[in-house]
Structure formats: structure tokens, C-alpha cells
């Protein structure tokens, strides 16, 4: 990929931040989208660039994903220095220490209702399946006929429309319900706070990543991967392009004057 002058200039300014947080969605950004979620793997070039960034002074890396934390760890094999946000912010791993979701009795009851609705609908829609998360369920429709997928998602949304204790998010060929309100924007804000970052880079590809882009501040950089309306300032076409962008950011950051290192 040829990185245009506008994006290159923005990366140069970002690289000069005193404290930098580089956060990436996983599926469709670090890893290409695949038919089976468990088969996703990071592009080696991106994983290498993330590891190089994680080793630089006053630089933090993070994966901010809708995946359950256990699923994210399994497919990403993240560098131990990389912070993890799972389930859109409901699950966190900082410095290798996991902070699991704790549900109260009302939330557990709501989760049981959500599970029942999604599994009943999935049983009638060939090609769909339900993923279980600690605080939610995901109705996957990628392998279903488009008409069957639309019918299944519509039925689930209709049945759960009146529930104020279940939060629905619609993404690329998924409908996710959670009994904990969490967004990637909140996840990024949390990471900014704990790292005390002066600037944030965030790359995402899905509708749910827009919460992250909207949470960015002046001096930050948002990178949208693929088509669709977005609040991000820049756009690339493919995860392979993300690898080029993150590699350039790692290079620019590593070339800072020696006095910026401890």
C-alpha cells in the first residue's frame, strides 16, 4: 500500500506524542475476516509491528474487540505487553491480569432470557449459530442465506425491543445482546485513563467501532478499514493496509530523538 501524504503527516505528528496508545480492533483489522471465527489469526506483519510498538518507551498497545476475552486471547496470541479489551469493553486484561465480568441476579436472569431467544431463533434459521459470552450472546449469520439471516435478526430485535436490561448491537453479519452496557468508546476512554496517553491511534472496521472513533479527541487518529460511513479521519481498504500503517507508525516512533528514551 502507498500511504498518502495526508495520512503519513498525521502519523508523523502522532508518533511524536509524549505518551502514545495504539489500539486496534481485531477481526477485519488485525486479522482478515474468515468464515469461522475460531480460525481468525493476526497478519504476521501487523503482529510484528504491534510488538515493536509495545517495546518502545511510553508506548502502549491494545486490542479492543467485541470478542469475549478468552476468544480474543485464543486467536490473537497477543504479546504479553498488549492490553486487551473484550466484549466491547465489558472484559479487561491489563498487564496480564484479567478482570472478569460479575453479574448480579437480575443480569443473570436477563442473560438466560437472551440465550433462550437467540437459540430458539437460531434453531429455525439454518446457517446461524449462537456464541456464548460471559455477559451476552451473539447471533452469527455469516454462513446463513441472506434472507434467512435478515429474518432471524429481525425476529430477535422484535422480541427484545421492549427489554431495557438487554443491550443490542448490530454489526457485520452478527447481532449481539449484552446484559452489561459497554462500548468500545468506553473501553478506549478507560485505556487512555490508565495509560495517561497524550494521543490515541484507533483502527476499526465495524459499526461497533464507531463508538471508538467518536471517543477520539484532538490529536488522536482514527483509521476506518473498508467501506461504510465513519467518524474516522482516515480510511484504508484491507487489513493488509493496516499492517503497512502500523509498521510505519512503529518506524516513526522508533526514530524519535534519543533524549525521548529513558
Amino acid at each position: 500500500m502507498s500511504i498518502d501524504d495526508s495520512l503519513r503527516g498525521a502519523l508523523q505528528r502522532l508518533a511524536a506524542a509524549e505518551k502514545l496508545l495504539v489500539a486496534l480492533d481485531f477481526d477485519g483489522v488485525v486479522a482478515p475476516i474468515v468464515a469461522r471465527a475460531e480460525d481468525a489469526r493476526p497478519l504476521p506483519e501487523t503482529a510484528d509491528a504491534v510488538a515493536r510498538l509495545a517495546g518502545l518507551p511510553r508506548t502502549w498497545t491494545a486490542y479492543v474487540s467485541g470478542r469475549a476475552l478468552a476468544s480474543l486471547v485464543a486467536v490473537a496470541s497477543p504479546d504479553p505487553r498488549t492490553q486487551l479489551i473484550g466484549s466491547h469493553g465489558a472484559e479487561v486484561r491489563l498487564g496480564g491480569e484479567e478482570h472478569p465480568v460479575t453479574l448480579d441476579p437480575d443480569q443473570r436472569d436477563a442473560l438466560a432470557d437472551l440465550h433462550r431467544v437467540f437459540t430458539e431463533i437460531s434453531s429455525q434459521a439454518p446457517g446461524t449459530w449462537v456464541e456464548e459470552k460471559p455477559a451476552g450472546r451473539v447471533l452469527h449469520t455469516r454462513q446463513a442465506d441472506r434472507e434467512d439471516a435478515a429474518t432471524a435478526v429481525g425476529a430477535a430485535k422484535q422480541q427484545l425491543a421492549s427489554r431495557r436490561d438487554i443491550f443490542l448491537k448490530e454489526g457485520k453479519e452478527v447481532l449481539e445482546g449484552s446484559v452489561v452496557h459497554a462500548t468500545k468508546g468506553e473501553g478506549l476512554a478507560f485505556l487512555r485513563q490508565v495509560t495517561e496517553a497524550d494521543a490515541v491511534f484507533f483502527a476499526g472496521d465495524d459499526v461497533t467501532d464507531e463508538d471508538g472513533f467518536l471517543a477520539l479527541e484532538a490529536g488522536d487518529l482514527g483509521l476506518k478499514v473498508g467501506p461504510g460511513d465513519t467518524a474516522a479521519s482516515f480510511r484504508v481498504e484491507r487489513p493488509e493496509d493496516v499492517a503497512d500503517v502500523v509498521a510505519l507508525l512503529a518506524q516513526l516512533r522508533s526514530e524519535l530523538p534519543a533524549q525521548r528514551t529513558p
Side-chain angles (χ1 to χ4, degrees), residues 73-92:
V73 171
V75 298
S77 300
D79 183 290
R81 297 165 296 187
T82 294
Q83 314 305 324
L84 302 178
I85 297 287
S87 298
H88 302 281
E91 298 180 275
V92 177

Side-chain angles (χ1 to χ4, degrees), residues 62-141:
Y63 290 150
V64 180
S65 176
R67 282 181 181 261
L69 194 57
S71 173
L72 180 59
V73 171
V75 298
S77 300
D79 183 290
R81 297 165 296 187
T82 294
Q83 314 305 324
L84 302 178
I85 297 287
S87 298
H88 302 281
E91 298 180 275
V92 177
R93 191 180 84 173
L94 294 176
E97 182 179 351
E98 295 187 11
H99 301 266
V101 177
T102 302
L103 303 181
D104 62 32
D106 289 340
Q107 289 172 319
R108 289 196 292 271
D109 289 344
L111 183 60
D113 291 342
L114 174 62
H115 180 84
R116 174 183 54 77
V117 170
F118 274 16
T119 53
E120 286 179 356
I121 289 172
S122 180
S123 69
Q124 301 171 34
T128 67
W129 61 282
V130 178
E131 175 190 359
E132 298 186 12
K133 293 185 177 182
R137 297 293 183 267
V138 184
L139 179 63
H140 288 263
T141 63

Side-chain angles (χ1 to χ4, degrees), residues 9-262:
L11 290 170
Q12 289 174 332
R13 291 188 291 274
L14 191 75
E18 181 66 23
K19 299 177 182 177
L20 176 64
L21 168 64
V22 179
L24 307 166
D25 180 26
F26 185 76
D27 295 282
V29 176
V30 175
I33 296 292
V34 293
R36 293 165 51 89
E38 63 269 28
D39 293 335
R41 293 295 183 273
L43 291 173
E45 298 83 359
T46 310
D48 178 65
V50 170
R52 282 188 283 133
L53 282 162
L56 295 175
R58 291 178 290 278
T59 308
W60 292 265
T61 58
Y63 290 150
V64 180
S65 176
R67 282 181 181 261
L69 194 57
S71 173
L72 180 59
V73 171
V75 298
S77 300
D79 183 290
R81 297 165 296 187
T82 294
Q83 314 305 324
L84 302 178
I85 297 287
S87 298
H88 302 281
E91 298 180 275
V92 177
R93 191 180 84 173
L94 294 176
E97 182 179 351
E98 295 187 11
H99 301 266
V101 177
T102 302
L103 303 181
D104 62 32
D106 289 340
Q107 289 172 319
R108 289 196 292 271
D109 289 344
L111 183 60
D113 291 342
L114 174 62
H115 180 84
R116 174 183 54 77
V117 170
F118 274 16
T119 53
E120 286 179 356
I121 289 172
S122 180
S123 69
Q124 301 171 34
T128 67
W129 61 282
V130 178
E131 175 190 359
E132 298 186 12
K133 293 185 177 182
R137 297 293 183 267
V138 184
L139 179 63
H140 288 263
T141 63
R142 185 174 302 278
Q143 300 178 50
D145 174 83
R146 293 302 88 203
E147 184 175 345
D148 289 343
T151 299
V153 169
K157 291 168 70 174
Q158 183 177 18
Q159 289 193 44
L160 297 170
S162 63
R163 298 292 296 257
R164 297 293 176 262
D165 51 356
I166 295 175
F167 308 96
L168 297 177
K169 301 177 188 291
E170 192 167 359
K172 291 182 178 178
E173 297 175 303
V174 298
L175 177 67
E176 179 165 354
S178 177
V179 298
V180 174
H181 185 272
T183 70
K184 292 184 180 181
E186 293 168 341
L188 280 178
F190 172 73
L191 288 173
R192 188 195 298 271
Q193 180 180 23
V194 298
T195 62
E196 299 182 338
D198 299 303
V200 176
F201 173 94
F202 176 60
D205 74 309
D206 208 343
V207 176
T208 56
D209 295 311
E210 292 303 314
D211 291 323
F213 295 135
L214 291 171
L216 297 180
E217 301 175 0
D220 296 340
L221 194 159
L223 185 71
K224 166 76 171 180
V225 185
D229 294 338
T230 186
S233 301
F234 297 91
R235 186 192 303 269
V236 295
E237 294 183 4
R238 312 171 301 157
E240 289 80 2
D241 299 332
V242 177
D244 293 338
V245 171
V246 178
L248 177 57
L249 180 58
Q251 176 188 333
L252 294 169
R253 184 77 171 166
S254 67
E255 293 173 349
L256 291 174
Q259 62 265 26
R260 299 185 68 86
T261 61

